[in-house]
Amino acid sequence: MRIEYNRPILLVEDNPMDVDLTQRAFARRKLLNPLQVARDGEAALEYLKTWGGNQPLPVVVLLDINLPKVSGLEVLRHLKTHPKMRTVPVIMLTSSAEDGDIQEAYQSGANSYIVKPVDFDKFLEVAERIDLYWNVINLPPR
Amino acid sequence: MPDQERPILLIEDNPMDADLTRRAFAKRKVLHPIEVARDGEEALTCLQQWEAGKPLPIVILLDLKLPKLDGLEVLQYLKTHARFRSIPVVILTTSNEDGDIQTAYQVGANSYIVKPVNFDEFMRVVDQIQTYWCTLNIPPQV
């Protein structure tokens, strides 16, 4: 059962096609939460910096590793050391299947790691599964 | 190390819930062996004795209300030991208390799910947990 519709999903993704696919997948599953998009690492850090304690915490963060300006792993480190944001689940959603990236992501506190399918239909399916698990079944931090 | 050989570790003292969980996994013909620890102490002994070369769990399902050593203490142990801290831990518990949820995430739980009371719903949720963590998520190589 979906709860807390005012809490955003933060998507950190530079590829506009992937942003579009994610939005479409969530729309198909009738996601009501606002989708906040940061299109590079710098924008993500800016979001973090300007996030005030009165604003609702994101339900979940979807984070690509390969980002311009600041890498996804760097963004992850900032997220996981932010006093309030650190409890928000971070799902790495990335094209990288490199062992090194996987290890480092988990070491830095990533909650989950998913490799983006290249195939369009599979990507949609994966985004829908992510929505089902993190926005419906999982209970986010308060 | 093929991921299918890695066990799912279920830390659950209620034999009925443990049984239901096993059955939900069996329905999907899950290849991963299911290991059950019936209290916190047993879980830690089990992990500590994990022989070199024996595959570490692909995911740990952890109830918070356990005899002997409670769930949060087990979680604390897991997330502060280099050997185990990357293993995804899904809290699967009856508690939907804000305090428990917050603390679990602060200590490093990857995910938090409240056990449904309804039998069919319980089976569905366990099925979705398995689908997510054993087929979609890329686990750390440990």
Side-chain angles (χ1 to χ4, degrees):
Chain A
M1 197 186 84
R2 289 191 194 275
I3 47 168
E4 301 169 87
Y5 304 124
N6 64 325
R7 294 176 62 172
I9 314 296
L10 175 62
L11 172 63
V12 188
E13 172 61 67
D14 65 314
N15 183 322
M17 239 170 54
D18 289 353
V19 172
D20 183 58
L21 280 176
T22 310
Q23 280 170 326
R24 282 206 263 160
F26 287 177
R28 277 206 336 201
R29 287 195 41 85
K30 306 201 189 332
L31 176 77
L32 295 176
N33 303 68
L35 188 64
Q36 182 92 35
V37 183
R39 292 180 193 272
D40 57 52
E42 211 174 77
L45 294 186
E46 193 56 35
Y47 173 89
L48 203 57
K49 214 167 64 171
T50 57
W51 185 84
N54 292 324
Q55 286 171 258
L57 265 183
V59 177
V60 72
V61 178
L62 304 184
L63 179 56
D64 192 2
I65 286 184
N66 300 315
L67 297 170
K69 299 191 186 167
V70 178
S71 86
L73 288 170
E74 189 60 31
V75 172
L76 174 64
R77 279 187 280 272
H78 277 86
L79 284 167
K80 287 299 178 180
T81 49
H82 187 283
K84 290 275 171 61
M85 286 279 178
R86 53 180 282 264
T87 56
V88 175
V90 179
I91 290 61
M92 307 309 293
L93 183 58
T94 182
S95 47
S96 168
E98 299 280 321
D99 272 359
D101 283 341
I102 297 168
Q103 284 314 99
E104 203 181 326
Y106 277 109
Q107 288 294 324
S108 299
N111 296 61
S112 171
Y113 194 111
I114 292 176
V115 175
K116 279 194 252 185
V118 175
D119 179 82
F120 170 93
D121 287 323
K122 290 211 169 72
F123 186 106
L124 272 181
E125 198 188 300
V126 164
E128 287 184 11
R129 295 251 210 109
I130 290 173
D131 177 57
L132 172 61
Y133 188 86
W134 292 103
N135 299 330
V136 181
I137 296 173
N138 188 68
L139 218 55
R142 313 283 95 206
Chain B
M1 165 67 55
D3 285 340
Q4 285 108 311
E5 290 178 22
R6 294 173 62 178
I8 297 167
L9 174 60
L10 171 63
I11 309 174
E12 171 61 68
D13 68 314
N14 182 317
M16 238 169 56
D17 286 353
D19 185 57
L20 277 180
T21 308
R22 275 188 186 278
R23 281 207 265 158
F25 287 138
K27 258 173 59 162
R28 281 276 179 184
K29 306 196 193 326
V30 169
L31 296 171
H32 304 267
I34 319 293
E35 310 226 2
V36 183
R38 288 177 208 292
D39 59 58
E41 248 171 46
E42 199 179 298
L44 292 191
T45 307
C46 179
L47 284 164
Q48 283 156 354
Q49 288 173 350
W50 228 278
E51 293 136 29
K54 189 175 166 192
L56 285 175
I58 188 167
V59 68
I60 297 174
L61 306 188
L62 174 60
D63 192 0
L64 290 183
K65 299 190 185 333
L66 298 171
K68 295 190 191 171
L69 195 61
D70 89 21
L72 283 173
E73 289 184 75
V74 176
L75 179 63
Q76 182 88 32
Y77 180 88
L78 290 169
K79 291 299 179 182
T80 51
H81 279 72
R83 187 144 184 256
F84 307 125
R85 54 185 277 254
S86 295
I87 305 171
V89 179
V90 178
I91 304 296
L92 182 59
T93 189
T94 48
S95 168
N96 66 350
E97 302 276 322
D98 276 4
D100 283 339
I101 298 167
Q102 271 319 93
T103 309
Y105 277 110
Q106 271 159 8
V107 173
N110 297 63
S111 170
Y112 191 110
I113 294 175
V114 175
K115 282 191 228 179
V117 175
N118 172 278
F119 171 86
D120 287 325
E121 192 55 35
F122 184 100
M123 296 287 267
R124 247 197 307 275
V125 165
V126 171
D127 185 50
Q128 278 147 4
I129 292 172
Q130 187 277 130
T131 302
Y132 186 87
W133 293 102
C134 299
T135 70
L136 186 58
N137 188 63
I138 311 286
Q141 294 309 305
V142 284

